[in-house]
Structures are given as C-alpha cells and as structure tokens.
C-alpha cells in the first residue's frame, strides 16, 4: 500500500470524526448520516447544535463542552506546530480554557476547531516523507479527536 493511500484512509476517518458521515453513505464508526443530511454526529455538528450557555455548562463529568472544544483545537494546533519543529513548552492545562463562553467566544472556539482540523489535513496531504513523528502525530490526532468527540457526546446528554 502506498503512503498516500494509507494517509488518505486515516484522513477519511478523521474527516468522519470531525465532519460526520457523508449523507447516505456508510461510516467507519459513527452512526450513518441520513440521505437528507440529518443524523450527523461528527464533532462539528455536535458542537454547532449547542448554544454558548449549553457549551459552558459544567457537567458532572467535570469539564464543559467548551473546554473540550478548546482543548481539541489546541491539540491539533500543537500537532502542526510540532511538525514545524516547535517543541514547546505547551500549556496543556491551560488548553482547557475557556470553560465558559458567550456567543461570540463559542463561535470563535468552533471556528478554531475547524481551522485546526483543516491545518492537520493540509499538513498530512503535503507531507512527503513520513517519519515516526509525522505518522504518530496523525494517529494521535485521530485518536484524540475521537476520544473527545465521545466525551463531548456523553457530556451533551447531561446538559439541560
């Protein structure tokens, strides 16, 4: 298998985690999106369905959806920075801020998640020589987004 096929396969699963399923097509791990586009349970649709107040709600799980979203964006941004040679230090604890957002900050957080995701996709597609850092970074991005998507979907069930 070529590196390109392997990378595109990983990116397809990352796309599903973030963008959701393609309408009417099967999925790798999420519920299928219906032909009319409804039932999309990817990260972006999950975040977009929440108001700032809902995203800020401190659930019994201990972390608000807004905090998860900020952290996901940060993790993806760090992956791109790492690939560019930046070895930190990185403020992982601070990456869960803000925990509470107003409408403008919630929109900015969701935009940041989308931009960070796109930066990872762009980086993966332009990478010509895959070493352990690059391959591990892509794998970590997929695992990390999938983990936080699950955590966010559980937290959403606890939001009034």
């Amino acid at each position: 298998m070529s590196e390109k096929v392997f990378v595109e396969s990983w990116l397809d699963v990352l796309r599903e985690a973030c963008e959701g399923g393609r309408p009417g097509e099967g999925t790798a791990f999420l519920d299928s999106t219906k032909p009319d586009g409804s039932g999309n349970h990817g990260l972006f649709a999950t975040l977009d369905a929440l108001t700032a107040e809902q995203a800020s709600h401190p659930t019994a799980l201990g972390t608000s959806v807004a905090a998860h979203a900020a952290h996901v964006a940060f993790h993806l941004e760090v992956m791109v920075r790492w690939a560019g040679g930046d070895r930190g230090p990185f403020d992982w604890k601070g990456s869960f801020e803000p925990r509470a957002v107003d409408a403008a900050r919630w929109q900015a957080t969701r935009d940041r998640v989308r931009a960070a995701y796109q930066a990872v996709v762009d980086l993966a597609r332009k990478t010509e020589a895959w070493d352990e850092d690059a391959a591990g970074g892509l794998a970590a991005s997929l695992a990390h987004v999938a983990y936080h998507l699950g955590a966010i979907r559980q937290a959403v069930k606890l939001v009034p």
Side-chain angles (χ1 to χ4, degrees), residues 20-128:
R22 291 188 172 123
E25 293 183 12
T27 54
F29 72 99
L30 293 180
D31 298 334
S32 295
T33 301
K34 296 181 176 117
D36 67 0
S38 65
N40 179 334
H41 299 292
L43 180 62
F44 301 155
T46 300
L47 298 177
D48 288 345
L50 300 174
T51 66
E53 182 179 356
Q54 291 169 319
S56 299
H57 189 316
T59 71
L61 298 175
T63 305
S64 70
V65 171
H68 276 286
H71 176 73
V72 167
F74 182 81
H75 183 271
L76 294 171
E77 292 162 353
V78 165
M79 189 230 164
V80 172
R81 289 170 58 190
W82 187 274
D86 183 353
R87 297 300 186 255
F90 304 112
D91 183 10
W92 291 105
K93 185 177 180 182
S95 72
F96 283 94
E97 297 296 334
R99 293 179 181 276
V101 291
D102 60 16
R105 187 72 183 258
W106 181 227
Q107 183 62 55
T109 300
R110 290 180 290 144
D111 290 346
R112 182 180 169 209
V113 171
R114 281 181 168 79
Y117 159 74
Q118 190 59 55
V120 167
V121 170
D122 293 345
L123 173 67
R125 288 198 172 127
K126 78 175 187 178
T127 298
E128 294 179 13

Side-chain angles (χ1 to χ4, degrees), residues 10-22 25 117 142:
W10 274 83
L11 289 177
D12 193 48
V13 180
L14 180 62
R15 180 206 48 79
E16 181 181 322
C18 290
E19 298 178 32
R22 291 188 172 123
E25 293 183 12
Y117 159 74
L142 173 56

